[in-house]
Structures are given as structure tokens and as C-alpha cells.
Amino acid sequence: GAGVSQSPSNKVTEKGKDVELRCDPISGHTALYWYRQSLGQGLEFLIYFQGNSAPDKSGLPSDRFSAERTGGSVSTLTIQRTQQEDSAVYLCASSPTVGGSEQYFGPGTRLTVT
Amino acid sequence: QKEVEQDPGPLSVPEGAIVSLNCTYSNSAFQYFMWYRQYSRKGPELLMYTYSSGNKEDGRFTAQVDKSSKYISLFIRDSQPSDSATYLCATVRAGAGSYQLTFGKGTKLSVIP
């Protein structure tokens, strides 16, 4: 079956603009995660959606970052007033069970803020 | 001190060598331990996961966890050029209503033919 898909694959934006990144999880997966991976850094947890529960937003670096998950499926990560330090690869993962240890990652969106 | 420490390498080995990749963690509450492989410009893919101390084997890969010393390892036998990638260790702390996954920075491995 289809894996996790993300769009766009690459995004170049000017500093100060807003961007939206999209994630389509594997069908039927109840948990969805967003991570950020900067050059030379590990994966940084951003936010976690589990079923219909309120998301765990503890990893969001500032209030410029927000995410939503509509209908328990597709998720959108929004970054407002982008800064150069936001440049990174944004990865989405989904898991078949709430709290499941097996996460399946998408290919990521490479964001460059100029 | 970071919760998960991993030597970033790079690590370069000849084809056929045994590779040892290691991580240490600081929080004894971590319950699950995983290894991911990430090829360049791709998302990470799960290689192995375990929740207890001891060894878990899958083909040429063996994951080892020592909870007493908070040390996790991945061994690759008969390494192949196709194993060249970045390997990320990860730990999971799960509880009622919460789920936290922490990654190491990753070790870049090159297997030379």
C-alpha cells in the first residue's frame, strides 16, 4: 500500500512569509507526528496527534508554528512569518496504533527560507 | 546532557566488516528502543525496535539493549555498500495520554567496496 506522503517536496520562501506543509499518513493509522531535521542535527519532535485526543504540542519551538489534523487523517503544519532558522527538512510520520512504537516516515519537505 | 547521545561519525568501514553503532541515554523512564536507517534525502525507515534488555536479531542486524548502563547498540554483520546511510537511535517514553520519542543525532556510515 501507499506510504506516508508529504507535499511539497521542496519549498523556498522569503523571510516573513507563511508556509503550509502537508502530510498524508498511511490509511488507518491513528497517530501522526511532525519532526524537524536540521543539518547536523537529529530529529526534533514538534507535535503529536493521537486519535481524536488533543495534540501534544510540547515540541513546537514558537507560537509561529501550528498544526492541525482534519478528520483524523491529513495534517497541515503551518509556519507563520518564517525565519531563516526555520530552514530544515520537516518530516511527518504515522503509526498504526496510539502510542505505537513503529513510526513510518514520509520523505519530508525541504524548507529553505531566504 | 542530552537525553540521547550518539556519535555522529562519520564511520567508514570496508565491505564485509562488522559495524558497531552505539547510543547512550540518560532517562531510565525510556521504555522502547529503536534503530532507524536514513538514506540521503529520504525519510528514516525503522530497522529494529525492542523494549527489553538483551539482544534482538534480524538477518545481518542485531540490536542490543543494556538498561542497567543505559546503552543501546546496533551491530551489522557482513556490511554491504547498500548499508551506507545515517543510522539513528531512538527511545520512547509512553504513558497515559503522552508519548515522547527522542532521537539521537545519527551516525553516518559508509561501507567501502
Short mmCIF file of all heavy atoms in Angstrom, two decimals, chain A residues 33 35 37 40-43 45 48 50 56 91 99-103 105-107 110, chain B residues 32 34 36 38 41-44 46 49 88 92 94 97-101 103-105:
data_model
loop_
_atom_site.label_atom_id
_atom_site.label_comp_id
_atom_site.label_asym_id
_atom_site.label_seq_id
_atom_site.Cartn_x
_atom_site.Cartn_y
_atom_site.Cartn_z
N TYR A 33 2.83 12.26 13.57
CA TYR A 33 3.88 13.04 14.22
C TYR A 33 4.52 13.98 13.20
O TYR A 33 4.67 13.63 12.04
CB TYR A 33 4.98 12.12 14.77
CG TYR A 33 4.49 10.90 15.51
CD1 TYR A 33 4.04 9.78 14.82
CD2 TYR A 33 4.50 10.86 16.90
CE1 TYR A 33 3.59 8.65 15.49
CE2 TYR A 33 4.06 9.73 17.57
CZ TYR A 33 3.61 8.64 16.87
OH TYR A 33 3.18 7.53 17.54
N TYR A 35 8.22 16.15 12.77
CA TYR A 35 9.58 16.35 13.25
C TYR A 35 10.28 17.37 12.34
O TYR A 35 9.89 17.59 11.20
CB TYR A 35 10.39 15.05 13.20
CG TYR A 35 9.89 13.94 14.08
CD1 TYR A 35 8.96 13.02 13.60
CD2 TYR A 35 10.36 13.80 15.39
CE1 TYR A 35 8.50 11.99 14.40
CE2 TYR A 35 9.90 12.76 16.19
CZ TYR A 35 8.98 11.86 15.69
OH TYR A 35 8.53 10.84 16.49
N GLN A 37 14.27 18.27 11.03
CA GLN A 37 15.65 17.78 10.96
C GLN A 37 16.51 18.85 10.31
O GLN A 37 16.37 19.12 9.12
CB GLN A 37 15.72 16.47 10.17
CG GLN A 37 17.08 15.79 10.24
CD GLN A 37 17.05 14.42 9.58
OE1 GLN A 37 16.36 14.21 8.58
NE2 GLN A 37 17.79 13.47 10.13
N GLY A 40 23.06 18.49 10.39
CA GLY A 40 23.93 18.16 11.51
C GLY A 40 23.21 17.92 12.81
O GLY A 40 23.84 17.65 13.83
N GLN A 41 21.89 18.00 12.79
CA GLN A 41 21.10 17.78 13.99
C GLN A 41 20.26 16.52 13.85
O GLN A 41 19.99 16.06 12.76
CB GLN A 41 20.18 18.98 14.26
CG GLN A 41 20.91 20.30 14.42
CD GLN A 41 21.80 20.32 15.62
OE1 GLN A 41 21.43 19.89 16.72
NE2 GLN A 41 23.02 20.80 15.45
N GLY A 42 19.84 16.00 14.95
CA GLY A 42 18.93 14.86 14.93
C GLY A 42 17.53 15.31 14.65
O GLY A 42 17.26 16.48 14.39
N LEU A 43 16.62 14.37 14.71
CA LEU A 43 15.21 14.71 14.53
C LEU A 43 14.69 15.38 15.79
O LEU A 43 14.84 14.88 16.89
CB LEU A 43 14.39 13.45 14.25
CG LEU A 43 14.28 13.05 12.79
CD1 LEU A 43 15.57 12.43 12.32
CD2 LEU A 43 13.13 12.07 12.61
N PHE A 45 11.42 16.54 17.73
CA PHE A 45 9.98 16.34 17.82
C PHE A 45 9.26 17.68 17.86
O PHE A 45 9.66 18.59 18.58
CB PHE A 45 9.65 15.52 19.07
CG PHE A 45 8.20 15.52 19.45
CD1 PHE A 45 7.31 14.71 18.77
CD2 PHE A 45 7.74 16.31 20.48
CE1 PHE A 45 5.97 14.70 19.12
CE2 PHE A 45 6.40 16.31 20.84
CZ PHE A 45 5.51 15.49 20.15
N TYR A 48 2.45 15.89 18.10
CA TYR A 48 1.97 14.53 18.00
C TYR A 48 0.45 14.54 18.12
O TYR A 48 -0.10 15.10 19.06
CB TYR A 48 2.62 13.72 19.13
CG TYR A 48 1.98 12.42 19.53
CD1 TYR A 48 1.68 11.44 18.60
CD2 TYR A 48 1.71 12.16 20.88
CE1 TYR A 48 1.13 10.23 19.00
CE2 TYR A 48 1.16 10.96 21.28
CZ TYR A 48 0.88 9.99 20.34
OH TYR A 48 0.34 8.80 20.73
N GLN A 50 -2.85 12.00 18.38
CA GLN A 50 -3.24 10.63 18.66
C GLN A 50 -4.76 10.53 18.62
O GLN A 50 -5.44 11.08 19.47
CB GLN A 50 -2.69 10.15 19.99
CG GLN A 50 -2.97 11.04 21.18
CD GLN A 50 -2.62 10.38 22.50
OE1 GLN A 50 -2.24 9.23 22.55
NE2 GLN A 50 -2.75 11.12 23.59
N ASP A 56 -0.31 16.72 21.34
CA ASP A 56 0.81 17.07 22.21
C ASP A 56 1.67 18.07 21.47
O ASP A 56 2.39 17.70 20.54
CB ASP A 56 1.60 15.80 22.55
CG ASP A 56 2.84 16.06 23.38
OD1 ASP A 56 3.16 17.24 23.65
OD2 ASP A 56 3.50 15.08 23.76
N LEU A 91 9.69 16.44 8.62
CA LEU A 91 9.30 15.05 8.40
C LEU A 91 8.01 14.74 9.14
O LEU A 91 7.80 15.17 10.27
CB LEU A 91 10.40 14.10 8.90
CG LEU A 91 11.68 14.11 8.07
CD1 LEU A 91 12.86 13.65 8.92
CD2 LEU A 91 11.53 13.20 6.86
N GLY A 99 0.28 5.53 20.49
CA GLY A 99 1.43 5.19 21.31
C GLY A 99 2.26 4.07 20.74
O GLY A 99 3.12 3.52 21.40
N GLY A 100 2.01 3.71 19.50
CA GLY A 100 2.77 2.63 18.89
C GLY A 100 4.21 3.00 18.66
O GLY A 100 4.53 4.14 18.36
N SER A 101 5.07 2.03 18.77
CA SER A 101 6.49 2.32 18.64
C SER A 101 6.96 2.31 17.19
O SER A 101 8.03 2.79 16.89
CB SER A 101 7.30 1.31 19.46
OG SER A 101 6.98 0.00 19.03
N GLU A 102 6.16 1.76 16.28
CA GLU A 102 6.58 1.72 14.89
C GLU A 102 6.05 2.94 14.16
O GLU A 102 4.85 3.07 13.95
CB GLU A 102 6.04 0.45 14.22
CG GLU A 102 6.55 -0.82 14.85
CD GLU A 102 5.96 -2.05 14.20
OE1 GLU A 102 6.17 -2.24 13.00
OE2 GLU A 102 5.25 -2.81 14.90
N GLN A 103 6.96 3.81 13.80
CA GLN A 103 6.58 5.01 13.07
C GLN A 103 7.10 4.89 11.64
O GLN A 103 8.25 4.51 11.42
CB GLN A 103 7.17 6.25 13.73
CG GLN A 103 6.61 6.49 15.12
CD GLN A 103 7.02 7.82 15.69
OE1 GLN A 103 7.48 8.71 14.99
NE2 GLN A 103 6.83 7.99 16.97
N PHE A 105 7.87 6.92 8.26
CA PHE A 105 8.15 8.30 7.88
C PHE A 105 7.87 8.56 6.41
O PHE A 105 8.03 7.70 5.55
CB PHE A 105 9.62 8.62 8.15
CG PHE A 105 9.93 8.90 9.59
CD1 PHE A 105 10.12 7.86 10.49
CD2 PHE A 105 10.02 10.21 10.05
CE1 PHE A 105 10.40 8.12 11.83
CE2 PHE A 105 10.30 10.47 11.38
CZ PHE A 105 10.48 9.43 12.27
N GLY A 106 7.47 9.80 6.15
CA GLY A 106 7.38 10.27 4.79
C GLY A 106 8.75 10.76 4.32
O GLY A 106 9.71 10.76 5.09
N PRO A 107 8.84 11.19 3.06
CA PRO A 107 10.13 11.62 2.51
C PRO A 107 10.56 13.00 2.98
O PRO A 107 11.71 13.39 2.79
CB PRO A 107 9.88 11.62 1.00
CG PRO A 107 8.41 11.87 0.88
CD PRO A 107 7.78 11.19 2.06
N ARG A 110 11.64 19.75 2.25
CA ARG A 110 12.85 20.56 2.49
C ARG A 110 12.46 22.03 2.36
O ARG A 110 12.11 22.48 1.28
CB ARG A 110 13.94 20.20 1.48
CG ARG A 110 15.27 20.90 1.71
CD ARG A 110 16.34 20.32 0.78
NE ARG A 110 16.57 18.91 1.06
CZ ARG A 110 17.43 18.45 1.96
NH1 ARG A 110 18.15 19.31 2.66
NH2 ARG A 110 17.58 17.17 2.13
N TYR B 32 11.06 1.95 25.20
CA TYR B 32 11.28 1.28 23.93
C TYR B 32 12.52 1.87 23.28
O TYR B 32 12.85 3.03 23.49
CB TYR B 32 10.09 1.49 22.98
CG TYR B 32 8.77 1.00 23.49
CD1 TYR B 32 7.92 1.84 24.20
CD2 TYR B 32 8.35 -0.31 23.25
CE1 TYR B 32 6.71 1.40 24.66
CE2 TYR B 32 7.14 -0.75 23.71
CZ TYR B 32 6.32 0.10 24.41
OH TYR B 32 5.11 -0.34 24.88
N MET B 34 14.75 1.97 19.54
CA MET B 34 14.64 1.70 18.12
C MET B 34 15.88 2.16 17.36
O MET B 34 16.61 3.03 17.83
CB MET B 34 13.42 2.44 17.55
CG MET B 34 12.10 1.89 18.01
SD MET B 34 10.75 2.97 17.55
CE MET B 34 10.89 4.18 18.84
N TYR B 36 16.72 3.43 13.39
CA TYR B 36 16.23 3.82 12.09
C TYR B 36 17.42 3.98 11.15
O TYR B 36 18.51 4.37 11.56
CB TYR B 36 15.47 5.15 12.15
CG TYR B 36 14.07 5.05 12.69
CD1 TYR B 36 13.83 5.01 14.06
CD2 TYR B 36 12.98 4.99 11.83
CE1 TYR B 36 12.53 4.92 14.55
CE2 TYR B 36 11.68 4.90 12.30
CZ TYR B 36 11.47 4.86 13.67
OH TYR B 36 10.19 4.77 14.15
N GLN B 38 18.47 6.01 7.58
CA GLN B 38 18.04 7.10 6.72
C GLN B 38 19.03 7.29 5.58
O GLN B 38 20.20 7.64 5.81
CB GLN B 38 17.91 8.40 7.53
CG GLN B 38 17.33 9.55 6.74
CD GLN B 38 17.10 10.80 7.58
OE1 GLN B 38 17.71 10.99 8.62
NE2 GLN B 38 16.18 11.67 7.13
N ARG B 41 18.46 12.23 1.62
CA ARG B 41 17.26 12.86 1.08
C ARG B 41 16.03 11.95 1.14
O ARG B 41 15.11 12.08 0.32
CB ARG B 41 17.51 13.37 -0.34
CG ARG B 41 18.50 14.52 -0.37
CD ARG B 41 18.63 15.15 -1.73
NE ARG B 41 19.49 16.32 -1.65
CZ ARG B 41 19.03 17.56 -1.51
NH1 ARG B 41 17.75 17.79 -1.47
NH2 ARG B 41 19.87 18.58 -1.44
N LYS B 42 16.02 11.05 2.09
CA LYS B 42 14.86 10.19 2.32
C LYS B 42 14.45 10.30 3.77
O LYS B 42 15.21 10.75 4.63
CB LYS B 42 15.20 8.73 2.00
CG LYS B 42 15.66 8.47 0.58
CD LYS B 42 14.51 8.52 -0.38
CE LYS B 42 14.95 8.08 -1.76
NZ LYS B 42 13.83 8.19 -2.75
N GLY B 43 13.22 9.86 4.08
CA GLY B 43 12.80 9.80 5.46
C GLY B 43 13.39 8.58 6.15
O GLY B 43 13.78 7.61 5.50
N PRO B 44 13.51 8.60 7.46
CA PRO B 44 14.03 7.45 8.19
C PRO B 44 13.12 6.23 8.03
O PRO B 44 11.90 6.38 7.93
CB PRO B 44 14.04 7.92 9.65
CG PRO B 44 13.97 9.40 9.59
CD PRO B 44 13.18 9.72 8.37
N LEU B 46 12.27 2.40 9.81
CA LEU B 46 12.50 1.61 11.01
C LEU B 46 13.24 0.32 10.68
O LEU B 46 12.84 -0.44 9.81
CB LEU B 46 11.16 1.28 11.67
CG LEU B 46 11.23 0.44 12.95
CD1 LEU B 46 11.91 1.22 14.06
CD2 LEU B 46 9.81 0.05 13.37
N TYR B 49 13.20 -2.58 16.64
CA TYR B 49 12.81 -2.00 17.91
C TYR B 49 12.72 -3.08 18.96
O TYR B 49 12.45 -4.24 18.67
CB TYR B 49 11.51 -1.20 17.82
CG TYR B 49 10.26 -2.03 17.77
CD1 TYR B 49 9.55 -2.33 18.93
CD2 TYR B 49 9.75 -2.49 16.56
CE1 TYR B 49 8.39 -3.08 18.88
CE2 TYR B 49 8.59 -3.23 16.50
CZ TYR B 49 7.91 -3.52 17.66
OH TYR B 49 6.76 -4.25 17.61
N LEU B 88 20.04 6.18 13.03
CA LEU B 88 19.52 6.96 14.15
C LEU B 88 18.99 6.03 15.22
O LEU B 88 18.18 5.14 14.94
CB LEU B 88 18.38 7.86 13.68
CG LEU B 88 18.72 8.88 12.60
CD1 LEU B 88 17.56 9.08 11.66
CD2 LEU B 88 19.09 10.20 13.24
N VAL B 92 11.76 5.73 23.45
CA VAL B 92 10.35 6.10 23.61
C VAL B 92 9.98 6.05 25.07
O VAL B 92 10.30 5.09 25.77
CB VAL B 92 9.44 5.14 22.82
CG1 VAL B 92 7.97 5.47 23.09
CG2 VAL B 92 9.73 5.22 21.34
N ALA B 94 6.41 6.31 27.00
CA ALA B 94 4.97 6.36 26.79
C ALA B 94 4.26 6.28 28.13
O ALA B 94 4.69 5.55 29.03
CB ALA B 94 4.52 5.22 25.89
N GLY B 97 -1.84 9.16 27.99
CA GLY B 97 -2.03 10.40 27.25
C GLY B 97 -0.76 11.04 26.73
O GLY B 97 -0.82 12.14 26.19
N SER B 98 0.35 10.41 26.89
CA SER B 98 1.58 11.03 26.39
C SER B 98 2.43 10.00 25.68
O SER B 98 2.36 8.80 25.96
CB SER B 98 2.36 11.66 27.55
OG SER B 98 2.94 10.66 28.36
N TYR B 99 3.21 10.49 24.78
CA TYR B 99 4.09 9.61 24.01
C TYR B 99 5.23 10.47 23.52
O TYR B 99 5.02 11.41 22.77
CB TYR B 99 3.32 9.01 22.84
CG TYR B 99 4.10 8.02 22.04
CD1 TYR B 99 4.23 6.71 22.49
CD2 TYR B 99 4.72 8.38 20.86
CE1 TYR B 99 4.95 5.79 21.75
CE2 TYR B 99 5.43 7.46 20.13
CZ TYR B 99 5.54 6.17 20.57
OH TYR B 99 6.26 5.25 19.85
N GLN B 100 6.43 10.17 23.98
CA GLN B 100 7.57 11.00 23.62
C GLN B 100 8.66 10.15 23.01
O GLN B 100 9.11 9.17 23.61
CB GLN B 100 8.09 11.71 24.86
CG GLN B 100 9.15 12.76 24.57
CD GLN B 100 9.52 13.51 25.84
OE1 GLN B 100 10.43 13.10 26.55
NE2 GLN B 100 8.81 14.56 26.14
N LEU B 101 9.06 10.50 21.81
CA LEU B 101 10.11 9.78 21.12
C LEU B 101 11.29 10.73 20.96
O LEU B 101 11.13 11.84 20.47
CB LEU B 101 9.60 9.31 19.76
CG LEU B 101 10.43 8.25 19.05
CD1 LEU B 101 9.52 7.30 18.29
CD2 LEU B 101 11.39 8.91 18.09
N PHE B 103 15.24 11.15 19.52
CA PHE B 103 16.24 10.59 18.60
C PHE B 103 17.63 11.07 18.96
O PHE B 103 17.83 12.18 19.46
CB PHE B 103 15.94 11.06 17.17
CG PHE B 103 14.83 10.33 16.49
CD1 PHE B 103 13.51 10.76 16.63
CD2 PHE B 103 15.08 9.23 15.69
CE1 PHE B 103 12.48 10.10 16.00
CE2 PHE B 103 14.05 8.57 15.04
CZ PHE B 103 12.75 9.00 15.19
N GLY B 104 18.61 10.21 18.67
CA GLY B 104 19.98 10.65 18.65
C GLY B 104 20.23 11.42 17.36
O GLY B 104 19.38 11.46 16.47
N LYS B 105 21.42 12.03 17.25
CA LYS B 105 21.71 12.86 16.08
C LYS B 105 22.00 12.03 14.84
O LYS B 105 21.99 12.55 13.73
CB LYS B 105 22.89 13.78 16.36
CG LYS B 105 22.56 14.92 17.29
CD LYS B 105 23.72 15.91 17.35
CE LYS B 105 23.33 17.11 18.19
NZ LYS B 105 24.40 18.13 18.19
#
